Amino acid sequence: MKTRPKKDFYKNTLINNRNTWINENLDSRKIYAYNLCTYCFYYIYLSFTAANIQPTLDLKISDLNLENLGLSTFAKKHKYRAGRQIEFSAPSHLKRYLIQYLKLREWVDNLHLPGDCQEYLFMRIGEHRQLKRFARSSVSSIDDNTPLFKGVKRVTARDIRNLCAEYYIKHSKGNLSLVARKLNNSLTTVAKSYTSIDIESQAIEMNHYHEKMITAVLRSNRTNEQTISIKTSTNYDTEKIPAGSCSNLSDNDPVKALGFNNEAPNPSCATFESCLFCEFFAIHIDFEDIHKLLSLKEALLKSSMIRDDPEYHLLSIEPSLFRIDEIINILKGKDNRVIELVDDAEQKIKMQIYNEYWDEHINFLTVASESNRKSLSL
C-alpha cells in the first residue's frame, strides 16, 4: 500500500497529464518528468548507437541529419581521447524515438529558461530552473534518486558497448574490423577491451585472422597462390618511373601481369602503385629502384593511417603492400648483394630519407595528418 502513491504519481505525471501540462506553469514535477525522460532517451540513444559517453554528450542538434538515420552516418563528432573524428550510425528504429525527444526539447526551448546550452541535444533543467548540459554526474544523480530504478542494476555505457561488440563479432563471424568501425575504435582497442579472451588467445586469434586476410588477398586478385614473377634488369633499357622502372618503350597499353585476375587493380600509367600489377613493370637491381619501392610502401602506409578505414586498407592498400613485399623477397633471392641493397634502403626509410619523388608526397601526408589532428583538437 505504501508504494501505491508513488505508482499513482508516475502514472499521473508521465501518462495521464502529459498533454494538459503543456499549457500549465513549470513546477517541480514537470522538471522532474523532463529530466527523467531525458535520462531514459539518453540510454535509448546509447543502446542504438553503442557510442561513447562524452562524444554523445557533446552532440548538438545541428549535428544531426535525420534523413541519414538508418542509412549511413547521421552525425559526426570529435573524440578527444582518440584525437579524431568519429561517426554515429544506428538502425532506423531510433528515428521515431529521436523525433519524439526533439519535440520534448522544443517544448523546453519555448519555456525560454536561462542558460547557454540550448544547442546541445542532451540538457537538463537544473537548480533555479536553469538549463544545464546533461553530464555524467546527471546520470548518476537521476539513477540514484529515482524510485523507478530502485533495486534495478544500471546498465552502463561500457556494458552496452560490450554487448554490441559481442553481437557484431558473433554475426560477422569474427570480423574485428567491422566491430572497430561500429564502435569507432582501433583494431587494437577492440581486441584488448571488447573481446572476452586472454592476451595469448588474442594473439593466436589475430595471427589466424592475419593469415586469413592474406589468403583473401591472394584469392581476391590472383589465379593461384604461386609467386608472381617480376622483370629484373641490370641494363638501362627501361624508363624510370616512381614505382621502379617500366619496360614498355613502345607506348603499348598497360596490361596485367600473368597470374593476376580481374579482381586485381588495373594497371594505369597515371597511378604508380598500380604499376606493380603490370606486365611491363620492372626493377633495376640497384639501390635507386629498391629505395623507390620501399618509399612507395611508406606512402601507402601513411595514406592508409590518415584515412583510418580498415576495410579500405584491406581492399585497396593491402594488395599493393603484399605485392611490394613479394617483389622484395624475389629480389633477395637473386643474390646476397641485393640483400645488402634492401638493408641499406630500409635503413634510409627508418631515417625518414625517401626517394626524391616520394619524399614530397610523404611530407605532404605527414603535414596533412598533423594539421587534421590539430584542427580536430580545437
Side-chain angles (χ1 to χ4, degrees), residues 178-335:
L178 173 65
V179 180
R181 191 174 76 252
K182 290 291 185 179
L183 298 185
N184 284 300
N185 280 129
S186 65
L187 282 171
T188 303
T189 300
V190 168
K192 181 180 179 181
S193 302
Y194 293 103
T195 53
S196 303
I197 51 179
D198 57 78
I199 297 297
E200 182 179 354
S201 299
Q202 285 183 32
I204 295 173
E205 190 67 26
M206 288 301 292
N207 183 59
H208 181 61
Y209 169 76
H210 180 72
E211 290 178 353
K212 284 201 167 189
M213 180 182 70
I214 295 300
T215 302
V217 171
L218 290 172
R219 290 176 179 172
S220 66
N221 59 38
R222 300 176 178 222
T223 56
N224 55 58
E225 296 186 11
Q226 294 180 356
T227 299
I228 297 178
S229 61
I230 183 72
K231 291 182 178 180
T232 58
S233 175
T234 54
N235 301 315
Y236 288 82
D237 53 355
T238 56
E239 179 184 355
K240 293 184 178 182
I241 60 173
S245 300
C246 179
S247 62
N248 183 11
L249 301 179
S250 302
D251 293 327
N252 294 319
D253 292 333
V255 60
K256 286 181 185 177
L258 187 64
F260 291 113
N261 60 24
N262 292 333
E263 298 298 322
N266 291 314
S268 170
C269 296
T271 309
F272 295 116
E273 60 265 31
S274 71
C275 294
L276 301 170
F277 305 89
C278 183
E279 176 67 26
F280 298 109
F281 182 69
I283 289 289
H284 286 141
I285 303 182
D286 59 15
F287 174 82
E288 182 182 8
D289 274 12
I290 293 173
H291 193 215
K292 284 181 186 178
L293 204 58
L294 294 178
S295 298
L296 168 59
K297 180 178 180 179
E298 188 69 13
L300 290 170
L301 288 169
K302 285 189 175 294
S303 176
S304 181
M305 288 176 63
I306 291 175
R307 181 151 181 170
D308 193 22
D309 184 338
E311 290 190 357
Y312 169 79
H313 178 89
L314 181 60
L315 296 175
S316 301
I317 301 298
E318 190 67 37
S320 297
L321 297 178
F322 186 86
R323 179 60 173 158
I324 290 173
D325 289 340
E326 181 180 53
I327 292 172
I328 292 296
N329 287 331
I330 292 173
L331 295 176
K332 284 183 176 180
K334 295 291 182 181
D335 56 57

Side-chain angles (χ1 to χ4, degrees), residues 53-290:
I53 290 178
Q54 197 54 53
T56 299
L57 296 176
D58 289 339
L59 276 172
K60 298 180 179 180
I61 295 178
S62 58
D63 294 324
L64 305 176
N65 184 348
L66 295 184
E67 297 302 318
N68 289 341
L69 213 168
L71 300 175
S72 59
T73 299
F74 70 90
K76 294 182 180 180
K77 213 64 191 171
H78 184 65
K79 186 177 179 181
Y80 289 95
R81 188 173 62 182
R84 60 183 175 85
Q85 182 175 269
I86 59 173
E87 300 178 344
F88 291 79
S89 60
S92 58
H93 308 312
L94 176 63
K95 188 172 184 179
R96 178 165 60 92
Y97 297 108
L98 183 54
I99 291 175
Q100 290 176 344
Y101 175 73
L102 290 176
K103 289 181 180 179
L104 183 63
R105 277 299 317 277
E106 184 180 2
W107 169 76
V108 174
D109 290 338
N110 290 333
L111 295 175
H112 303 294
L113 300 175
D116 57 357
C117 60
Q118 287 88 339
E119 71 272 24
Y120 287 97
L121 178 62
F122 294 100
M123 67 178 187
R124 65 183 178 89
I125 303 176
E127 301 79 7
H128 310 296
R129 299 186 180 184
Q130 289 184 327
L131 295 178
K132 296 185 176 182
R133 286 188 59 183
F134 207 66
R136 295 170 187 256
S137 57
S138 308
V139 174
S140 300
S141 175
I142 293 176
D143 190 61
D144 294 338
N145 299 324
T146 302
L148 276 176
F149 306 120
K150 187 176 182 180
V152 178
K153 182 179 179 180
R154 179 164 60 94
V155 179
T156 66
R158 179 58 181 268
D159 293 332
I160 293 171
R161 286 170 66 80
N162 276 329
L163 287 171
C164 289
E166 290 179 11
Y167 174 85
Y168 287 123
I169 289 173
K170 179 180 178 181
H171 288 274
S172 67
K173 297 181 180 180
N175 188 345
L176 295 186
S177 64
L178 173 65
V179 180
R181 191 174 76 252
K182 290 291 185 179
L183 298 185
N184 284 300
N185 280 129
S186 65
L187 282 171
T188 303
T189 300
V190 168
K192 181 180 179 181
S193 302
Y194 293 103
T195 53
S196 303
I197 51 179
D198 57 78
I199 297 297
E200 182 179 354
S201 299
Q202 285 183 32
I204 295 173
E205 190 67 26
M206 288 301 292
N207 183 59
H208 181 61
Y209 169 76
H210 180 72
E211 290 178 353
K212 284 201 167 189
M213 180 182 70
I214 295 300
T215 302
V217 171
L218 290 172
R219 290 176 179 172
S220 66
N221 59 38
R222 300 176 178 222
T223 56
N224 55 58
E225 296 186 11
Q226 294 180 356
T227 299
I228 297 178
S229 61
I230 183 72
K231 291 182 178 180
T232 58
S233 175
T234 54
N235 301 315
Y236 288 82
D237 53 355
T238 56
E239 179 184 355
K240 293 184 178 182
I241 60 173
S245 300
C246 179
S247 62
N248 183 11
L249 301 179
S250 302
D251 293 327
N252 294 319
D253 292 333
V255 60
K256 286 181 185 177
L258 187 64
F260 291 113
N261 60 24
N262 292 333
E263 298 298 322
N266 291 314
S268 170
C269 296
T271 309
F272 295 116
E273 60 265 31
S274 71
C275 294
L276 301 170
F277 305 89
C278 183
E279 176 67 26
F280 298 109
F281 182 69
I283 289 289
H284 286 141
I285 303 182
D286 59 15
F287 174 82
E288 182 182 8
D289 274 12
I290 293 173

